[in-house]
């Protein structure tokens, strides 16, 4: 009997193993490769353990064999040798044979690669409840950059922060018919409190349109109360069946904006303005090219008249919906009686919008920019933009090297760069190089005794691994050094965006027939074509190919169009693709 280390439900690499008498090694526990953290799986690592033990027991019974928990001596020696090499920093960066990577190659298994990077870059760990995650400090720092940027832009456009309760009466959700229909499968309900049954079940917030409208109905009286623009930073819960850290979890962080307006035109403009801010953040900060457009009716938010979206192509060519805004019309206002007196004294329902971006954006940055060495972070998002690694072999050289390093660090911080010095002695320089490559630090600086003598240092850029990204002879004088690094960071930001844009452009296929769409999807590309199909046609394509209508881009060609599916005259070009 033999099971590969990743053969059970996509679980992580196994470290503990059982030797069968046939000589094969059988994994019995499922842990992360180097950090001994459980894998990110929906059903949990205990299930993996039980399942493997059950299969092992059955096989042992069938073969009348007895298993032990001893590792074969040869395997044990190999493990000890490998662990010793890792501990001493052997084969890690610099000269010599390249070490075995801690992550699965991206081209080999994209899903496993993603999980490995999240773990090894110390972005998140999975929580004790299946489908939840604990965001670690390095991962949360990425969220804070998103928060800071969007919070500033929201306030510049007249929005104010508030906070609404997590628990929502179930009757609120049921007031808007399409809203409850859309969210019913994902709701988490609280039915007991204080040891007693509740009079009415409470929904753990999946989104806040209903709670916000309950309050808006009290706050809005006349036209002078409008527009009302509110944003909240909060967590939400949706009972997802298939989970992936940052992309889809039972609980996640987001911001949700809610606005009320006197006219339909104002609400429509608000929805378009906010999707513009999301696109601005994606392109300018996250170095993420996106297509901006409108969702189809079937793909729109439950309860919205219209949904706008930014769609980004990930490294596996699947689409990611990275942010959405919704024109809610008067749907929720009518359900909750949210009205105002207009200038003529007549009662009118308010026109509303909502919009949100979540920790899913962090997953998008990982999947768009990451490579086989780990993260590649855009400098504007990187918690550490520059890491300086002193290289000292002799005690006599320490003072001169550290003095030079200290001057560079002080000048970088004074210039506003997020700079770190790693002068720890427990790890070798090679280990540190691999470590900061994994964490996606954009720029690494090496300073040794010879560099101090020559008045220069070595700078490496993360977006270009190996010799290609190394720069020798960079001035060791603080001001020229800072100027060089500032220019390099901007170049890295631009380069990441350009690479992502080129990748996106090269993987969008223009189609003129359904057969061409099927071929494009089979090649894992996005299909772009003229569309005049019905909801039923859209559903058929989804069922037969797995691709959904991602968006109807704002940028449309000005020419006569023929629908690739129906052959009828079309007025719009759309994007179909498989999605995360």
């Amino acid at each position: 009997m033999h099971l590969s280390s990743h053969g059970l439900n996509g679980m992580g690499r196994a470290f503990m193993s059982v030797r069968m008498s046939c000589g094969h090694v059988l994994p019995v526990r499922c842990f992360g490769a180097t950090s001994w953290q459980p894998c990110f799986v929906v059903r949990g690592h205990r299930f993996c353990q039980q399942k493997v033990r059950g299969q092992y027991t059955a096989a042992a019974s069938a073969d009348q064999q007895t298993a032990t928990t001893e590792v074969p001596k040869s395997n044990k020696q190999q493990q000890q040798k490998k662990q010793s090499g890792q501990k001493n920093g052997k084969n890690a960066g610099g000269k010599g044979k390249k070490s075995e990577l801690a992550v699965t190659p991206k081209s080999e298994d994209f899903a496993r690669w993603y999980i490995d990077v999240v773990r090894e870059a110390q972005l998140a760990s999975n929580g004790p409840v299946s489908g939840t995650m604990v965001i670690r400090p390095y991962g949360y720092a990425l969220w804070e950059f998103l928060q800071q940027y969007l919070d500033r832009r929201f306030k510049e456009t007249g929005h104010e922060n508030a906070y609404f309760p997590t628990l929502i009466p179930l009757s609120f959700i049921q007031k808007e018919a399409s809203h409850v229909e859309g969210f019913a499968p994902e709701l988490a309900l609280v039915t007991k409190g204080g040891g007693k049954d509740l009079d009415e079940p409470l929904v753990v917030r999946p989104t806040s349109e209903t709670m916000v409208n309950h309050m808006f109905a009290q706050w809005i009286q006349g036209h002078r109360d409008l527009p009302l623009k509110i944003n909240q930073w909060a967590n939400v819960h949706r009972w997802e069946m298939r989970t992936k850290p940052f992309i889809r979890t039972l609980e996640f962080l987001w911001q949700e904006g809610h606005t009320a307006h006197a006219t339909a035109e104002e609400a429509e403009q608000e929805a378009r303005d906010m999707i513009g801010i999301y696109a601005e953040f994606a392109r300018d900060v996250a170095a993420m090219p996106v297509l901006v457009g409108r969702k189809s009716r079937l793909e729109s938010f439950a309860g919205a008249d219209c949904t706008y979206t930014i769609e980004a192509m990930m490294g596996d060519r699947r689409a990611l919906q990275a942010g959405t805004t919704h024109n809610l019309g008067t749907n929720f206002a009518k359900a909750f009686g949210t009205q105002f007196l207009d200038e003529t004294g007549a009662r009118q329902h308010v026109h509303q919008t909502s919009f949100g971006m979540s920790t899913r954006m962090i997953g998008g940055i990982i999947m768009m920019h990451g490579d086989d060495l780990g993260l590649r972070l855009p400098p504007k998002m990187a918690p550490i933009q520059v890491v300086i690694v002193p290289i000292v072999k002799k005690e006599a050289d320490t003072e001169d090297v550290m003095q030079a390093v200290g001057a560079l660090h002080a000048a970088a911080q004074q210039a506003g760069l997020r700079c770190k010095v790693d002068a720890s002695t427990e790890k070798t320089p090679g280990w540190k190089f691999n470590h900061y490559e994994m964490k996606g630090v954009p720029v690494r600086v090496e300073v040794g005794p010879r560099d101090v003598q020559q008045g220069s240092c070595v700078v490496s850029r993360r977006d270009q691994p190996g010799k290609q990204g190394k720069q020798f002879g960079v001035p060791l004088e603080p001001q020229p050094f800072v100027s060089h690094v500032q220019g390099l960071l901007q170049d890295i930001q631009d380069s990441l965006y350009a690479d992502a844009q080129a990748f996106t452009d090269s993987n969008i296929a223009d189609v003129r027939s359904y057969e061409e769409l099927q071929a494009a999807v089979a090649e894992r590309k996005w299909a772009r074509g003229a569309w005049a199909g019905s909801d039923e046609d859209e559903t058929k394509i989804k069922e037969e190919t797995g691709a959904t209508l991602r968006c109807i881009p704002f940028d449309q060609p000005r020419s006569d169009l023929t629908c690739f599916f129906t052959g009828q005259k079309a007025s719009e070009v759309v994007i179909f693709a498989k999605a995360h």
Side-chain angles (χ1 to χ4, degrees):
M1 177 180 179
H2 174 71
L3 294 174
S4 64
S5 61
H6 280 268
L8 292 174
N9 296 338
M11 301 288 185
R13 294 187 178 94
F15 265 4
M16 298 188 66
S17 56
V18 171
R19 181 167 59 87
M20 303 294 291
S21 60
C22 63
H24 286 137
V25 177
L26 174 66
V28 299
R29 299 190 72 180
C30 184
F31 286 97
T34 60
S35 58
W36 289 87
Q37 297 166 357
C39 298
F40 285 95
V41 292
V42 175
R43 300 182 68 181
H45 67 285
R46 288 193 180 91
F47 171 78
C48 177
Q49 182 178 354
Q50 293 166 359
K51 182 172 181 179
V52 179
R53 282 178 174 167
Q55 293 186 19
Y56 153 68
T57 302
S61 175
D63 299 333
Q64 296 296 312
Q65 303 290 352
T66 302
T68 72
T69 55
E70 296 177 359
V71 179
K73 185 175 181 181
S74 59
N75 289 350
K76 187 173 182 180
Q77 290 173 342
Q78 290 175 4
Q79 280 188 358
Q80 289 174 343
K81 184 176 180 180
K82 179 180 176 181
Q83 291 170 355
S84 175
Q86 291 175 341
K87 182 177 181 180
N88 295 325
K90 294 180 180 179
N91 303 332
K95 299 179 181 179
K97 185 180 178 181
K98 194 173 183 179
S99 65
E100 182 181 350
L101 295 174
V103 300
T104 303
K106 188 177 179 179
S107 58
E108 180 182 305
D109 188 330
F110 189 88
R112 191 185 301 170
W113 165 84
Y114 176 81
I115 298 300
D116 289 346
V117 170
V118 169
R119 181 190 64 246
E120 295 299 324
Q122 299 175 339
L123 297 175
S125 300
N126 57 320
V129 176
S130 294
T132 64
M133 67 173 176
V134 177
I135 304 177
R136 300 183 67 177
Y138 198 67
Y140 197 82
L142 297 177
W143 176 243
E144 287 179 316
F145 283 116
L146 181 150
Q147 273 189 311
Q148 291 164 10
Y149 185 90
L150 291 184
D151 198 64
R152 174 177 60 81
R153 292 294 285 121
F154 292 156
K155 289 173 181 175
E156 288 174 353
T157 50
H159 300 79
E160 295 179 293
N161 285 332
Y163 187 80
F164 297 86
T166 298
L167 299 177
I168 302 171
L170 179 60
S171 58
F172 282 21
I173 304 291
Q174 294 170 335
K175 283 188 177 183
E176 213 288 324
S178 60
H179 192 64
V180 67
E181 181 182 355
F183 276 102
E186 300 177 349
L187 297 182
L189 298 178
V190 178
T191 58
K192 288 183 177 292
K196 299 179 180 179
D197 291 336
L198 300 179
D199 294 335
E200 177 182 359
L202 300 177
V203 176
V204 184
R205 174 175 52 215
T207 183
S208 297
E209 277 76 8
T210 57
M211 179 62 75
V212 167
N213 265 276
H214 177 75
M215 301 311 301
F216 274 16
Q218 300 175 41
W219 297 346
I220 298 171
Q221 302 300 322
H223 63 89
R224 291 185 178 86
D225 297 322
L226 300 173
L228 180 57
K229 298 183 178 183
I230 296 295
N231 177 67
Q232 79 162 338
W233 296 94
N235 60 339
V236 290
H237 298 75
R238 297 179 185 176
W239 213 261
E240 302 281 1
M241 294 297 103
R242 295 183 300 168
T243 58
K244 177 185 280 190
F246 292 111
I247 300 301
R248 197 176 295 278
T249 50
L250 267 63
E251 177 186 4
F252 56 90
L253 301 179
W254 77 346
Q255 61 73 212
E256 53 177 319
H258 299 273
T259 68
H261 305 267
T263 67
E265 292 75 16
E266 289 179 12
E268 174 65 12
Q269 189 61 52
E270 172 75 6
R272 286 179 171 264
D273 287 346
M274 291 302 103
I275 203 65
I277 287 178
Y278 288 158
E280 172 190 299
F281 170 81
R283 293 165 177 164
D284 296 347
V285 181
M288 180 182 291
V290 292
L291 286 181
V292 188
R294 187 179 82 249
K295 284 288 190 183
S296 68
R297 194 184 70 83
L298 293 181
E299 293 291 325
S300 289
F301 178 74
D305 283 354
C306 179
T307 290
Y308 299 112
T309 182
I310 56 172
E311 300 284 329
M313 182 182 289
M314 301 294 98
D316 59 353
R317 303 187 189 92
R318 286 180 177 262
L320 182 76
Q321 179 180 288
T324 52
T325 69
H326 316 289
N327 185 337
L328 304 176
T330 58
N331 299 328
F332 286 90
K334 290 177 179 176
F336 284 84
T338 312
Q339 296 179 298
F340 71 101
L341 289 174
D342 66 16
E343 295 180 354
T344 67
R347 281 207 163 273
Q348 305 285 351
H349 286 101
V350 298
H351 298 263
Q352 293 179 269
T353 75
S354 65
F355 48 93
M357 181 175 281
S358 73
T359 40
R360 169 178 280 218
M361 174 57 80
I362 297 174
I365 292 170
I366 300 168
M367 291 194 290
M368 175 167 282
H369 299 307
D371 63 13
D372 285 349
L373 300 180
L375 291 176
R376 292 197 308 167
L377 292 178
K380 292 182 180 179
M381 285 285 288
I384 305 170
Q385 294 174 314
V386 183
V387 61
I388 305 175
V389 180
I391 302 176
V392 181
K393 295 183 179 180
K394 298 179 181 179
E395 186 67 28
D397 297 326
T398 301
E399 183 177 352
D400 290 342
V401 170
M402 292 309 300
Q403 185 176 353
V405 166
L408 296 184
H409 181 243
Q413 286 194 316
Q414 188 174 5
L417 300 180
R418 296 184 289 278
C419 182
K420 174 181 178 177
V421 174
D422 189 342
S424 60
T425 58
E426 295 82 10
K427 302 294 184 181
T428 65
W431 185 95
K432 294 176 185 178
F433 296 168
N434 278 0
H435 177 70
Y436 291 108
E437 283 179 344
M438 180 65 69
K439 295 176 83 70
V441 176
V443 172
R444 185 184 73 237
V445 181
E446 305 163 33
V447 181
R450 185 177 299 177
D451 299 312
V452 174
Q453 293 174 3
Q454 296 175 348
S456 64
C457 59
V458 180
V459 173
S460 299
R461 49 189 295 171
R462 177 62 183 86
D463 64 318
Q464 298 177 2
K467 294 181 180 179
Q468 180 184 1
K470 282 216 171 200
Q471 300 178 349
F472 298 89
V474 176
L476 202 57
E477 297 177 24
Q479 292 311 314
F481 168 80
V482 168
S483 297
H484 179 86
V485 170
Q486 287 175 326
L488 187 59
L489 289 171
Q490 185 59 55
D491 189 55
I492 294 171
Q493 183 83 22
D494 296 340
S495 177
L496 287 174
Y497 183 87
D499 288 349
Q501 185 67 69
F503 179 80
T504 300
D505 292 342
S506 65
N507 285 290
I508 298 179
D510 290 306
V511 300
R512 294 173 179 81
S513 68
Y514 185 38
E515 290 72 23
E516 289 183 1
L517 178 140
Q518 290 173 310
V521 173
E523 293 174 5
R524 298 191 301 165
K525 292 187 175 184
W526 289 16
R528 178 172 56 200
W531 179 251
S534 64
D535 291 351
E536 291 73 21
D537 295 333
E538 183 181 337
T539 300
K540 181 179 180 181
I541 291 175
K542 179 179 179 179
E543 291 174 347
E544 293 181 352
T545 69
T548 54
L549 201 164
R550 302 313 305 161
C551 76
I552 305 160
F554 286 164
D555 294 332
Q556 290 285 329
R558 297 181 180 179
S559 61
D560 293 333
L561 302 170
T562 302
C563 176
F564 70 82
F565 193 81
T566 66
Q568 299 175 355
K569 184 177 180 179
S571 60
E572 295 176 319
V573 167
V574 303
I575 297 287
F576 275 90
K578 291 186 176 181
H580 284 278

